[in-house]
Each structure stands twice: as structure tokens, then as C-alpha cells.
Amino acid sequence: MSTYVSLCEFIRSHFLGRDRIGLHEPQFYGNERAYVIDAIDSTFVSSVGNYVTRFEEMLCQITGAKYAVATVNGTTALHAALLVAGVQPGDMVLTQPLSFVATANAVAHAGAEPVFLDVEEDTLGLDPGAVAEFLLTACKKADGGCRHVATGRRVAACVPMHTFGHPCRVDALTDVCAGFGVPVVEDAAEALGSLRQGRHCGTFGLLGTLSFNGNKIVTSGGGGAVLTDDPELARRAKHLTTTAKLPLPYRFVHDSVGYNYRMPNLNAALACAQLEQLESFLASKRALAGEYATFCAKVGLRFVSEPADTQSNYWLNAIRLPDIATREAFLETSNDCGIQTRRAWDLLSSLPMFAHNPRGPLEVATKLAAELVNIPSSPRIQDAVHIARRTPENGQRSRPLAGDASSRS
Ligand SMILES: Cc1ncc(COP(=O)(O)O)c(C=O)c1O
């Protein structure tokens, strides 16, 4: 246990001056206050406002996606993305069991059934080999798409997730799925700032989604976004998430059952200020991950490093413990001394509402769920303050989006 006590001491030394060290705490040392007050002063606090547009533009710049559609959270972004990808009630959707519940919930919200396939040990994400095996042995190409032979049901999408911000082998997944006409919708909720072969997570599939929940690398309080390069899909995602209202003056005409999934301008104001600091958050988190890796190598702990060919945002750092007894002892020791640590999620395939869903062999996911423990991963306050002080070039904090936020759209 002394190794684990020394890990706790190591964590304490990195988050000095804190009684309780959270797993991932947001930092607000940039223009957050200025932009939120600016949104309030503009009176545009709700679903219309220029910070929403600015947020979407910034996301396109950061990710390289042609279009970004802001939503009220990551779950609604994924639901909307699945709908515009063509997922319909009764369809099957291939996904991984090692994920936050929202991944499978969004599939269920679309009326479809998640099919759980195994993950890879090095990426923690959906295994292209497991997907290929399922498609080749249990499915056949039909009507330009793919059908599950035993049930005749459509396999309408594949939803890989970039676990803890580590990019999965999404390029291989899109290749495998393309062969069967199955669109890939990436759940990149945890992966803002993560790259695979230099390309941003969430931009490999037909669509990708992000979360800006308070525990993510960048937060809007609550928020999400759909990414895509397809103009028609972007238009439909925007339409569907904004109550399917037609742009007619003086009239409320809605042409389908839409959703009120709009991100409020207040939240977008917060998000814009946070996105301005993404680079500094990434630098701070990657530096911390490097230090964890060095420390773990020295004391013989298994640290989860970014997969080959990727640049991870290291949203949540993780170690792997040899067995459940050691894991529980470490969780108790660390949490008792004010250091928040936690197990990975219980596998989605084991939750009561998904316990009877179709699945493949889940050996790797089962092993990882037993071994993984997340450890504190916040960007350090001193790094964030340092960076906030040197924006923009003149050394002043950058100004609110004057004009932007005051003009009504
Ligand atoms: C993998 C994954 N998918 C989806 C979500 C849903 O995002 P939100 O909480 O913004 O709805 C989250 C995180 O919260 C997540 O970690």
C-alpha cells in the first residue's frame, strides 16, 4: 500500500494548498465574468444571441469541422446527431460498454437499441476488430445499408467513444463501417483538443459530438455541440435542435416534432471565454500527465498513456490496479484523505436497462472496468492564472465581444 500512499502524496504536492482535490475542477481565470456580464447587459441570455454563433465558429476553428451546432448538453448533441444520421426506432446501434451512460441513453432516446462490442486495451475505445467481426458474422449488406441477419433489423450507426479523452482507432472504425454502409457518429464528449494523426476527434465520422459539462476540459456550465462537414446534416441538426421552427417573420410554424436543445447565450458566453484558454488547459493537463507517467514508472504503477499516433487531452488521468481488492483499498485511502478518485463506469451492458441488449464478447472491457481508477486531472490553477494574464498580445485580458453581443440577430 505504500506505493499508493506515495501516489497520494505526489498528488497533494501538485495541488498544493487544497484541502480537497477534485477529479476535474473548472478554472475561471480568463474572460468568463466579462462575457457573461456582457450577455446579461445585452438582455440576450436565452436561446438567441451572438455568443452562440461565436461559440460555434470557435469550435469550427479548433476542431477543423466545417459546421458546429451548439446544444444544451452533450447527451442532446448525441441524440440529435443520431437522428440526423438516420437512426430510427427499432434500429441497432453498435457501441462500447465502457462509457458514461449518456452514450447508450442517447441511442435509446432515438428509439434504437445499443449493441455492445468490446474495446481495445491500448485506446480504451471501441475495437475495430470487434466491429468487423460482428458485421462480418452477424450482418449483411442490404438496401444500401446493413441488416442484422438473425433479427432483420437495420444496423443504423456505430458510436465509438474517446474514453477519458484518449482517441480511439476511429479511422479504422470508419473504414470497417463504410464497407457495410454504417455511418459513424463519434461520441467525443470527453475529447475536446484530442487528435488522432493530427486530426481532431469528432471529425472522422459522419457526425461527432462534444460535451461542455462542468467536469470537462472546457465548460459552458452545461452544453454540447454537434460537429459535421456535411452542410445538409448541419442544417438539419440546427433545425431539429431549435424546435424545427421555420424562419418566418411574425409566425410560429414548425415543420416536424423538434427539440428545444438550444444552448442559452449565457452558457455560450462562458464557453467562449473558456475556449480562449483551451491551449493553456491542454498544456497544463498534458504536463501533469507527463509527471504522472514519470512518477508511476518510477514506483511501478500502470499509468494509462495516450495511444500511439495520438495527442490526448488527458481529460481524466487513469491508472490500472492489479485487482479489485487493491483498487478498493486505494479508492478508500485516497478519498479518505481528501483526494477524489473513482472507478471507471460500471459497464453499460451491466446496467438494468441495457442488461438484455445484444453484445459480443466483452473480455477487455470487463478487465478494464475492474482495473481502471481515475485520479485528479484538473489544469493547475497557477498555470491557468499565468496563461489568463498573458492574453491577448498587449498583456491585457481580452475584451468582451463588443458589438457582437449587443447586436440582435
Ligand atoms: C462519453 C460521454 N458521452 C456523453 C456525455 C454527455 O454529456 P452531457 O453531460 O453534457 O450531457 C458525457 C459526459 O458528461 C460523456 O462523458
Side-chain angles (χ1 to χ4, degrees):
M1 213 32 177
S2 66
T3 307
Y4 304 110
V5 171
S6 61
L7 175 58
C8 290
E9 282 163 3
F10 178 80
I11 292 170
R12 280 233 159 268
S13 72
H14 273 268
F15 295 96
L16 281 175
R18 314 276 293 281
D19 281 347
R20 294 200 62 78
I21 300 167
L23 208 53
H24 204 287
E25 295 164 356
Q27 315 283 344
F28 302 117
Y29 293 97
N31 289 308
E32 288 87 350
R33 278 175 187 75
Y35 290 1
V36 169
I37 289 168
D38 189 53
I40 292 170
D41 289 346
S42 78
T43 75
F44 284 97
V45 293
S46 198
S47 49
V48 174
N50 285 335
Y51 280 109
V52 175
T53 314
R54 170 94 176 119
F55 171 65
E56 291 174 342
E57 287 168 1
M58 288 178 87
L59 282 183
C60 289
Q61 265 171 25
I62 289 166
T63 63
K66 289 207 175 106
Y67 305 93
V69 175
T71 64
V72 72
N73 57 47
T75 312
T76 54
L78 187 54
H79 180 207
L82 290 167
L83 294 178
V84 302
V87 174
Q88 291 175 4
D91 287 343
M92 288 177 154
V93 171
L94 313 182
T95 192
Q96 60 194 65
L98 185 71
S99 186
F100 179 57
V101 69
T103 308
N105 278 349
V107 173
H109 294 160
E113 184 176 41
V115 175
F116 297 110
L117 300 175
D118 214 355
V119 295
E120 289 185 299
E121 191 145 1
D122 58 339
T123 67
L124 315 179
L126 190 59
D127 181 352
V131 172
E133 170 83 7
F134 182 81
L135 291 173
L136 286 166
T137 59
C139 305
K140 65 164 194 236
K141 285 203 239 179
D143 320 323
C146 177
R147 293 223 169 245
H148 183 239
V149 175
T151 61
R153 291 161 67 194
R154 215 161 62 96
V155 179
C158 173
V159 181
M161 197 280 276
H162 303 287
T163 308
F164 306 149
H166 298 312
C168 69
R169 281 210 292 144
V170 61
D171 46 340
L173 283 163
T174 51
D175 283 352
V176 167
C177 289
F180 281 80
V182 174
V184 170
V185 177
E186 292 171 73
D187 182 350
E190 305 180 352
L192 181 69
S194 295
L195 310 175
R196 177 165 188 89
Q197 292 161 350
R199 189 164 157 191
H200 200 286
C201 289
T203 67
F204 288 79
L206 186 63
L207 299 126
T209 60
L210 297 167
S211 165
F212 297 90
N213 188 38
N215 64 350
K216 296 298 185 289
I217 183 166
V218 158
T219 185
S220 55
V226 178
L227 306 175
T228 185
D229 282 346
D230 185 314
E232 178 54 17
L233 293 180
R235 188 198 65 75
R236 278 167 41 206
K238 190 70 174 177
H239 187 61
L240 199 63
T241 54
T242 56
T243 72
K245 185 177 182 297
L246 299 179
L248 300 171
Y250 325 123
R251 292 181 63 193
F252 280 84
V253 183
H254 307 259
D255 64 2
S256 57
V257 179
Y259 298 86
N260 181 5
Y261 282 175
R262 297 172 290 200
M263 174 185 277
N265 202 41
L266 265 185
N267 297 78
L270 189 69
C272 287
Q274 287 263 290
L275 283 179
E276 288 172 353
Q277 300 162 80
L278 175 62
E279 284 305 320
S280 68
F281 293 155
L282 284 168
S284 175
K285 287 167 66 58
R286 287 183 58 79
L288 174 60
E291 287 162 33
Y292 272 138
T294 306
F295 173 83
C296 288
K298 210 164 63 194
V299 299
L301 278 171
R302 284 180 87 181
F303 178 73
V304 178
S305 293
E306 63 194 356
D309 267 351
T310 73
Q311 199 172 328
S312 173
N313 67 4
Y314 281 98
W315 171 55
L316 282 190
N317 289 294
I319 53 173
R320 287 176 64 177
L321 297 180
D323 52 60
I324 290 177
T326 313
R327 181 191 73 189
E328 292 306 302
F330 174 64
L331 287 170
E332 203 177 312
T333 308
S334 48
N335 284 289
D336 281 356
C337 72
I339 296 173
Q340 191 185 9
T341 57
R342 70 168 197 213
R343 296 162 50 161
W345 316 275
D346 279 22
L347 293 185
L348 302 182
S349 47
S350 73
L351 302 180
M353 61 286 196
F354 302 122
H356 303 294
N357 284 41
R359 65 202 57 208
L362 300 178
E363 273 133 46
V364 179
T366 305
K367 182 157 73 124
L368 287 171
E371 294 180 0
L372 285 168
V373 169
N374 291 123
I375 52 180
S377 304
S378 309
R380 281 170 294 187
I381 291 176
Q382 61 268 37
D383 296 345
V385 170
H386 173 71
I387 301 289
R389 283 194 183 132
R390 63 179 169 78
T391 57
E393 308 93 68
N394 64 6
Q396 303 297 310
R397 289 198 180 181
S398 47
R399 289 186 304 276
L401 301 168
D404 253 359
S406 55
S407 61
R408 297 180 182 235
S409 57

